[in-house]
């Protein structure tokens, strides 16, 4: 059982290939992805929301040509939604359709014990793979070829779910009481993302390579914006990323994410803007900020933020 991701041949090739997919990353990110593929270990990607954790997994799937299997975590997530459940409706339907055959099986049985013994010899028929509904974790390890498995926002799930996940991450297998241990046919490239809303267990972290993605530097965010919004001018990109960097230094309820920077850049292109001024920022800031209190805070500091932006642009 193995996976093969030939396009992850080196750190440099990963940086170049991800850039071709529109994902601009630094050497640290590319190195962890390379090591994860080579060592066949999951990656635990932590960091604030909106910095590209989920997008990294999606881009690696595009890069390798492997299918993306995604499990979105939430409180109360259990094995019936994450690993498997039985198709009870199909089992019941088959039971009804096979009534005649069941009568033939039971014919001549004397007493309850013999009847149960005869039924028991056939119960495995209804607890076979044909009646199994595979969920994302099972689909990922049961695939003929390697897939990219994304376990998104693992910090939203319970500690109990982490325990279920450990078997999949360490041995690439799942235990099903009625079938026994089902070993994977291929090893997925696994990404687990966390927004740091709670501490994850040491057992989970031990099984993973760790990667922390923070808000990018102004220079890196400029490269990201130009890759995703090629119509934007270089001067506007510099102004925009410098302004966003200063906004993130404010005491806001939600700091603007990279994806929101990209949305704002697209908005400014649609508005045919070639520079930032107070009127333009006020009218378009909803694309960057999502809370009214945050909007008010930025507007109250707008003159200073724009003057800092101009100084930063002149310095560069």
């Amino acid at each position: 059982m193995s996976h093969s991701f030939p396009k992850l041949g080196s750190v440099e090739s990963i940086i170049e290939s991800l850039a071709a997919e529109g994902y601009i990353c630094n050497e640290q990110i590319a190195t962890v992805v390379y090591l994860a593929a080579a060592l066949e270990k999951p990656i635990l990607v932590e960091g604030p929301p909106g910095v590209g954790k989920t997008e990294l997994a999606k881009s690696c799937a595009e890069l390798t040509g492997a299918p993306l299997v995604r499990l979105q975590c939430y409180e109360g997530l259990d094995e019936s939604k994450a690993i498997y459940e039985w198709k009870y409706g199909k089992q019941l339907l088959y039971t009804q359709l096979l009534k005649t055959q069941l009568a033939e099986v039971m014919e001549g049985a004397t007493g309850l014990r013999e009847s149960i013994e005869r039924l028991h010899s056939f119960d495995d028929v209804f607890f076979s793979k044909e009646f199994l509904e595979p969920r994302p974790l099972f689909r990922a390890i049961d695939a003929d070829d390697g897939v990219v498995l994304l376990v998104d926002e693992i910090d939203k799930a319970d500690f109990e779910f982490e325990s279920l996940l450990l078997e999949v991450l360490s041995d690439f297998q799942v235990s099903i009481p009625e079938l026994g241990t089902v070993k994977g046919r291929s090893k997925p490239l696994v990404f687990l993302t966390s927004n740091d809303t709670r501490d994850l267990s040491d057992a989970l972290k031990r099984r993973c390579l760790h990667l922390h993605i923070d808000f990018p530097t102004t220079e890196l965010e400029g490269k990201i914006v130009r890759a995703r919004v090629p119509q934007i001018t270089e001067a506007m990109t510099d102004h925009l990323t410098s302004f966003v960097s200063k906004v993130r230094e404010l005491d806001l309820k939600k700091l603007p994410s990279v994806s929101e920077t990209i949305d704002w850049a697209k908005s400014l292109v649609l508005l045919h803007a070639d520079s930032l001024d107070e009127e333009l920022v006020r009218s378009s800031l909803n694309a960057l900020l999502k809370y009214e209190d945050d909007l008010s805070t930025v507007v109250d500091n707008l003159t200073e933020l724009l003057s800092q932006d101009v100084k930063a642009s002149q310095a560069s």
Side-chain angles (χ1 to χ4, degrees):
M1 178 180 63
S2 63
H3 63 204
S4 177
F5 296 103
K7 293 185 180 179
L8 303 184
S10 68
V11 173
E12 293 75 17
S13 67
I14 290 172
I15 293 175
E16 295 173 2
S17 299
L18 285 176
E21 297 295 335
Y23 189 93
I24 309 300
C25 72
N26 56 27
E27 187 173 348
Q28 179 196 19
I29 294 173
T31 300
V32 174
V33 171
Y34 170 75
L35 292 175
L39 298 173
E40 298 183 343
K41 290 181 72 70
I43 305 175
L44 174 59
V45 193
E46 297 184 295
V51 293
K53 301 186 297 296
T54 299
E55 200 62 33
L56 175 60
K58 291 180 178 179
S59 297
C60 284
E62 292 289 334
L63 164 63
T64 60
L68 176 70
V69 178
R70 180 175 182 175
L71 174 63
Q72 179 63 50
C73 297
Y74 54 87
E75 187 176 353
L77 179 64
D78 60 15
E79 63 181 11
S80 68
K81 298 301 180 185
I83 304 178
Y84 77 98
E85 68 177 337
W86 293 108
K87 299 177 182 178
Y88 296 112
K90 186 176 181 180
Q91 289 171 326
L92 181 60
L93 175 62
Y94 273 56
T95 302
Q96 297 296 321
L97 293 174
L98 296 174
K99 273 185 176 180
T100 304
Q101 285 79 358
L102 286 173
E104 292 175 358
V105 169
M106 300 300 295
E107 186 177 358
T110 58
L112 180 61
R113 181 178 297 276
E114 186 178 349
S115 299
I116 291 175
E117 288 177 354
R118 290 195 184 187
L119 286 173
H120 184 67
S121 65
F122 288 91
D123 63 357
D124 289 345
V125 174
F126 291 97
F127 288 97
S128 58
K129 267 195 171 185
E130 289 74 16
F131 292 94
L132 194 72
E133 183 65 57
R135 297 304 186 188
L137 296 182
F138 190 96
R139 292 205 310 271
I141 69 168
D142 199 47
D144 291 326
D145 298 311
V147 304
V148 173
L149 172 62
L150 169 60
V151 182
D152 215 5
E153 298 183 307
I154 180 64
D155 50 325
K156 286 187 177 180
D158 306 318
F159 281 110
E160 291 77 9
F161 175 71
E162 285 188 38
S163 300
L164 288 175
L165 193 58
L166 294 180
E167 183 181 20
V168 176
L169 297 182
S170 59
D171 300 318
F172 295 100
Q173 65 183 32
V174 295
S175 296
I176 300 175
E178 296 85 353
L179 295 180
T181 299
V182 180
K183 293 187 176 293
R185 290 190 281 178
S186 62
K187 288 186 178 181
L189 179 61
V190 183
F191 292 84
L192 298 91
T193 72
S194 168
N195 294 329
D196 294 329
T197 59
R198 70 169 177 86
D199 290 332
L200 302 175
S201 69
D202 291 340
L204 181 66
K205 289 188 174 184
R206 277 199 307 271
R207 287 163 173 79
C208 303
L209 297 180
H210 181 262
L211 173 64
H212 186 273
I213 301 180
D214 208 339
F215 291 112
T217 62
T218 303
E219 180 183 1
L220 180 57
E221 191 161 26
K223 292 180 180 179
I224 295 170
V225 169
R226 283 191 286 273
R228 293 302 180 95
V229 192
Q231 308 93 324
I232 195 169
T233 65
E234 187 170 346
M236 177 55 94
T237 301
D238 293 341
H239 293 164
L240 177 145
T241 54
S242 176
F243 181 86
V244 172
S245 176
K246 295 298 180 183
V247 167
R248 290 189 182 126
E249 295 176 4
L250 299 176
D251 184 18
L252 301 181
K253 184 174 181 179
K254 180 188 178 302
L255 300 181
S257 67
V258 177
S259 59
E260 287 159 344
T261 302
I262 293 170
D263 288 341
W264 195 32
K266 291 177 180 178
S267 301
L268 295 174
V269 168
L270 290 172
L271 293 171
H272 306 291
D274 53 14
S275 64
L276 293 179
D277 56 53
E278 289 197 21
E279 182 179 353
L280 174 65
V281 173
R282 287 175 189 269
S283 63
S284 62
L285 205 53
N286 296 77
L288 184 70
L289 302 170
K290 308 301 178 176
Y291 289 94
E292 191 61 33
D293 289 346
D294 290 349
L295 283 165
S296 299
T297 299
V298 172
V299 168
D300 290 343
N301 293 274
L302 200 50
T303 301
E304 182 182 358
L305 288 168
L306 286 172
S307 65
Q308 290 175 339
D309 173 41
V310 171
K311 291 177 183 177
S313 298
Q314 292 173 344
S316 62

